Amino acid sequence: MKNPLAALFHGPMTPGVLGVFGHLDDTTRAVKDLKADGREDFTVFSPMPRHELEDAIDRPPSSVRMYTLIGGIAGCSVGAWVTLYMSYDWPIQVGGKPIGSIPPYVVIMFEMTVLFGALNTLLGVALNALRAARREGTIPYDPRFSNDKFGVFVPCRPDQAGTTEAFLKQHGAEEVRRA
Amino acid sequence: MTMHAGSRAALALVLLGCAAAAARAQTAPRYQAPVVKDTARLAGPRQPIFFRHDIHAGQDQIPCMYCHYTATVSTEPGVPSLQTCMGCHLLVGGSTPSHQAEIAKVRKAWSDRQPPQWIRVHALPGFVHFPHMRHIKALGDNGCVLCHGDIAKTPQVAQVSTLRMGWCIRCHVERKITRDCTVCHY
Amino acid sequence: MAQTTAPPTSGVRVTYDYVTRVIHRTLGDPGKGYFALLGVAVGLLTIGIICLLFLLRYGLGLAGYSHPVYWAVFITCFVFWVGIAHSGTLISAILFLFRSAWRTAVYRVAEAMTVFAVMTAGLFPLIHIGRQWYFYWLVPYPNERGLWPNFKSPLIWDEFAIGTYFTVSTCFLIMGLIPDIAAVRDLATGWRKKLYAITSLGWRGTNEQWRHYSRGYLYLAALATPLVLSVHSVVSWDFAMAQVPAWHETIFAPYFVAGAIYSGVAMVISLLIPIRRLFHLEEVVTIRHFENLAKLCLLTGMIVGFAYTTEYFIAWYGGPTPEHKAFYYRAFGPFWWAGWTMNVCNWFLPWILWFKKVRTNLTALFVISIFVNIGMWFERFTLIAIHLAGEPFEPFVKAGYNPTWADWGIMAGSFGWFFMWFLLFVKNFPAVSISEVKEVLPPPVRGRHA
Amino acid sequence: MVDGMNRRRFLKVLGVTGGGAAVVAGCGIGPEPTEKLIPYLVQSEDEVPGVPTWYASTCRECPAGCGILVKTREGRAIKIEGNPASPINAGRLCARGQASLQGLYHPDRITDPMARDAQGHLVKITWDDALGRLSAKVKDARGKGIVFLTGLEASSFGDLVDEWMKQVGGRHVTYEAFAFEALREGNRLAFGSAAVPSYDFAAARYILSFGADFMETWLSPVGFQGGFSKAHGFQAGRDAAMAKFVAVSPRMSLEGMNADEWIAAIPGTEGLLALAMAQVILSGHLGAAPGDAGRLTELLSRHTPAAVADATGVDAKTIERLAKEFAASKGGLAVAGGMAAQYPNGAEIVAAVNILNYVAGSVGKTVKFGGDLAAGGAGSFRDLTALLADLAGGKVALLVTHGANPGYSVAGFAAAAAKAYRVAFATVLDETAGAADLVLPDLHPLEQWGDSRPRAGVVALQQPAMQPVQSNARGAGDVIAVLAGKPGTFKDYVQGKWKAPKGQTWADAVQHGGAFGDAPVTTAHLGPDAAKIFPGKPAAPALAGDKGDVSLIVFPHYALYDGRGADKPWLQELPHPVSKIMWQSWVEVHPDTAKTWNVDNGDFLLLTTSFGSARVAAWVTPSVRPGVLAMPTGQGHVAGGRYAKDRDVNAFDLLPGAANGYGGRTFTVRASVDTTRDHRYLATLEGDPREGGESIVELLTLARATGLHAGEHAFAEEPLPEYADSAAAGWAAAQHDKASLGNYATQPTRWAMAIDLSKCTGCSACVTACYAENNIATVGEELVQRRRFLPWMRIERYFNQEEGRPVRAVTTPMLCQQCGNAPCEPVCPVFAAYHTPDGLNGQVYNRCVGTRYCANNCPYKVRFFNWFNYAERGGEHEAWPTPLDWQLNPDVTVREKGVMEKCTFCVQRIRSAEHQARIEDRSLKDGDIVPACAQGCPSEAIVFGDLNDPHSRVHALSEDPRGYHVLAGLNTKPGITYLARVVAGAEV
């Protein structure tokens, strides 16, 4: 199907071959062999995350974690700054307590840590997804991938399409499609 | 009792005021109040009588405290009674026709015993207590201008300051005066 | 993980395709029953809004407050709904980190419940303050007066905690939804297709997307876990920081968190049982899921019971203190019925969950869960209204308290508000996670290479 | 004075400071578009806008004639305080006196003269018409009987009425519902003089009260209470540190609550008790009995303690002990009055008590004839019954009433008076005026001239404090002066009557409130009939009526008195000092009695006497003798304005309409009681269930208290570590350096208060003072039942009932303690509650959003919430319908709905004192600031000042060995130090 958002992201379709797999182990083997050929530019579709596939594809861990870390630290410091600055900006004394009393402010600092951390994580995922989308938008997709089928797309020049098809077929693709 | 302290001080001030006015009238260089052509262009609400502070306080150099004498002894500045106006305007009839017309209104009000209904320009909400005497005490008799603008050069009174809390606070902070809430709010 | 999934109860083979379709079916056109329920919810909400308008016009006096009962039904409802909100994140985040597979089938409902419960809870502090139109003075925004809120006040902590909790749990819910929306997108037709096409944010399940997605999800879970513990601790400090006897207790934070999860799980059960029935999810949401929920319920129930026991014991052990008076008042005062409702429903009732028969009997579970919810509401009511009424420091102003139509009306409104959102959600978005259920299914393998 | 300024202008000028009492609103900066400033034409020399002007005058709420100072702002009377120059009340004032403002501004005041039209409805007419009718009536009523009925008028007005009546051949009858016939008759019996002597409580060393409610309504309560607390209040280092006080009466009144011993004798036997004590003293030669006391031997020998023990229900040992103590004190004072003077044998009781004073040698010492009280002049109930007979018999053609309301307090009056043409001078349409044929709107005492001679040697002047609120009202004095053909106005008449003591001009007199002298004390000796009292064998008297077997005591309500206070919301909402009930009537039932009848608080009882019946809610209390019921007067009006009308039942309906032996009215009757199924919530301040006030009210025995020496502390508190209040102190210092608020220049202030519970009587005058000063809303019966009241200052009353001990009531004022470590402050999310540099708990109304967390966290429960908008014009709960809102204090914000409010030690007074000090370039002195409650307190129990000033009174008192803090265990570091109440004799 055509994602209306797609047009925003990507250019013309990339030529290549898309293999639809019914079984996990076939897919995994296909991926393994592709990597054995030294290919990195293929794309794997799966209806759910599977560690077998992840191992096979074996990419470095996502950079999202950095976003989380930075967000958390930022949040904590914002919490500290807000509470302390605002206390001393107009010092008002309550209940015989010091103007800037840290213990109660820890609560705010903690909440801000979580808030900023979470939002930044989301941001991280979104940015990475956008970057990926620039390429993935240009390759074919099959609705069954969100249901019960796995998919492997191997970009290749039209003249090599034949061999790629063969490769996928031989790895147990239930159907192959050129793009 | 309070009343005696209050009113005596007030009366004393009135007398002083007259003397001062007289004295200044001879020496100081006179400020000439402009002739106002188009009153519609003046800022501020139109008052029942076109009372010109710039003529009274500016040109004739009558000190503020001559009319608003309670400002030094009371939280309220007070509005001068019509009698105060008539104190001069029994004699002073005005130089130009327009002036005469306005002064005629004053005299009419006096004879009808119907004081003019001035439109209030400066007002604070009920939960703010602004003691004028404290401010006059601290800022001097001419401290008025800080909040009311240079009234002595203003034909028609308009609100020049926001009179909002932030505005008060700024001044208090600059002058290292307390910011305690219950100084004004109670 | 595969072995942890439920064995199919009936003959049906639970395949990826089955899961997708059975869950997609829940989004089919709603029946009369659904609209009836929705109607009831909206009706209640309308009642609540009308009462609220009266309250705004004439003042809080319309509610049952008295001197010294300055907090009552509204704050009770606030704590109640915040409590409900807790199981959601617990199930989705904490159990996620513990890799407990059974959560997958139930966490979506719990999470949705969380978000809407927080939305509901958040309204009450605004309703209950005297000059509702100045609620924004609690927010630290730069203003002309140069005034800031008082960060020493537990109410400000609350504001931050609830705000954070709402934001984070909403993010969490949406994030979990994306792959599933994509799944139903690919089956949907008509306006729903458009809706899902947009809300799935172009999800295709490529390896790149999964790589970042699962990381992000993991970290969100990692953040949500301490958050869920903190939020109700902060709520409990609204009371523990005050020196009202029976409020001023160090055990409040854990006690409240346990109670919150307790009520939350109970609410999940009360919601899930009908949904499972109506949406024919028997294959996906199995008895085993309920039993696990029941076990969770039992555990937290025991913690809550322990907390009650501790309270009473310390009060007795402390000798003739105001604390002592307060708890005597709770147990034998004019409001004994409230105190005992809470004890019976939260303290004694869960004991029957020790029996597997009960845990696996949906009717029994449903009844119990309802009672637990009632009990937990009364726990908060007792704690707040009753302990204020039984003022032990100043016996001279000890007072009665009678809730009025305004209290009940607005409380009913809050239920309407909650169920309205919940019903709209389950009909328009997958109420059970598709991709995660698949995760715990045995993957299709040909096995000839093995 | 406010001459030379007519009312129109006066009304206009309100615009100048109208904003002062505006409602809190968050925004609303800048002028209202329509807001007008209207200047005076001629500014009165007294009037400085924003500066209060004080007028000395005299309170006319009761015959005591206390001197008052009326505080006016911009020509409006806004508060009444006692006049320090007056010897009657020495600067103090009771709740009723302070509430007279609400009579002045009553929303239902009569605006114009009114007369009956054809249908018998009252319709407005002009003054000329009214006066025409009146003089015509006077003309043709000559000879057919003209009666002028007033209250007790020891004043020029009384004289004027007398003169006029002489002219027209009528008679002047005075009527007080609670008159003093028994006192006069008793004094005549004992000493042969029917005068009412003045009682010197301050000089007494031992005080015995036989039913006399001398701190509530009896004779001159404010003055008596002042004297009482001087004598009874604990004062270390005095020869006798305090005078013991014993109260004898079947019902615990305010006096009973303050008594060191409360003795609930059987109703009507107080006299026997007194005689028995006299017998002990005389036979034992314990007192300095005058020579002729011997004549009493026979009488007394028949009344030995043993002989009266059974009749009185008090055992002989107690009687002897009391007698010995009384005599030993060398300066005892025994007073009989109130309840004791309202039995059928009231006069004899008074005589018996006189004899007790006589044989103890107190007459002339503490009981002073010569300086007699005007109360002696009050007409007797017999006069009124005679008038009733004449009215019924058609012997009266014209009845003019002023300041008396028999239509309320005498059942048959309305019917009887119907035959005559009734003219009423009145400010509101009470029962009597409402039934009149011609109603003439009178001026309120605060609006007109007058005077009062409450005591021999004292002439208290009364001057108008403001222009009439109702422009078309005319002073009764002026009207009568015209009718009587007097030259000039009533003012001239008063001035003419006034004889200048040497060295005083009229102007001084007016400025200081009158001419205050003293009359020489005359000696008194036993009268001829002294020994003739109590002829028979000692027994309780037969009570009036023959229905039922329960004795029912009807007593004057502290605030509503004989019903004249019922139209004032401040008095209706003033918790009764004993019952703490507001807006309602009640009947006091002892728990044991209640148990037998199976009656609980708020259950309705149907009381039936031979004279009438009433349905009234029960208040179960140990403060009344078992088997005895007690019920207050004051409620049950059928007219008299929105606050009085149709409220509960009228206790007077249960009383006999005929005068008794000594010409008085009997207020103790036999009643039969039927329980009903009906029940209601009592509108009470008191919580439920009742408990003792541990760690709230502390008591010490006299022995222990005298044993304490300076530096010692009876109620030791654990010392706190330095850091406990370092934050507060440091901050105060910092703020102080930053800006002097015009406080003590030397060090940061800590405003604080000391309350001496051995002086505080619980009379609640401070409560009304607080309402008046701080614009506190009255919320009405229904909201009180729902506990929405807002008494910033409340008097807590606890009953201590240990087994085998007489019940004791303890009271304490409870107001914001202005804690140093205030629990209310840190929980406020918006800093509406915070700590001021001068040590107050600031409450910023306009910042408050109403989370009410502060109220939850306040252990003293002294924060109150505005559940509704009590200032809303025409709102359901409007507290100040115009012109009641004219009374609002422009220096204090009127709180909006949804806002928390509380006591701030009258911060407005603190600030204005600081302003004054600042413009006078000085720093504050101790005593510059007096909060409303401290100012009003008749027993001077409250002292206010700066705790950090080592020379201030409050600092000294806070060091007092008796000092303690309420709920000290919470470490709130309160700014109020309570001084423990000291109980003489009996163990605590």
Side-chain angles (χ1 to χ4, degrees), chain B residues 147-165:
Chain B
C147 311
H148 295 287
D150 191 357
I151 291 284
K153 307 240 184 323
T154 323
Q156 181 167 275
V157 178
Q159 181 172 334
V160 293
S161 324
T162 66
L163 301 187
R164 295 178 71 90
M165 180 171 155

Side-chain angles (χ1 to χ4, degrees), chain D residues 361-448:
Chain D
S362 302
V363 177
K365 266 210 214 129
T366 54
V367 182
K368 293 180 180 153
F369 284 89
D372 299 339
L373 299 182
S380 75
F381 191 59
R382 185 175 288 134
D383 303 347
L384 189 81
T385 46
L387 170 59
L388 276 175
D390 295 356
L391 284 164
K395 298 204 200 67
V396 179
L398 174 62
L399 174 70
V400 188
T401 53
H402 173 276
N405 187 8
Y408 166 74
S409 52
V410 182
F413 181 83
K419 290 205 175 68
Y421 186 81
R422 292 148 299 174
V423 181
F425 291 94
T427 54
V428 291
L429 280 180
D430 57 17
E431 286 78 358
T432 310
D437 304 291
L438 180 63
V439 179
L440 302 173
D442 191 4
L443 290 178
H444 189 274
L446 291 170
E447 297 166 332
Q448 61 178 319

Side-chain angles (χ1 to χ4, degrees), chain C residues 63 134 153 238 243 394 396 398, chain D residues 26 687 691 788 796 827 853:
Chain C
Y134 290 131
S153 166
D238 284 351
Q243 58 184 354
E394 269 283 325
F396 192 73
K398 217 179 230 186
Chain D
E691 295 180 21
R788 270 63 181 301
E796 299 194 345
V827 297
Y853 201 168

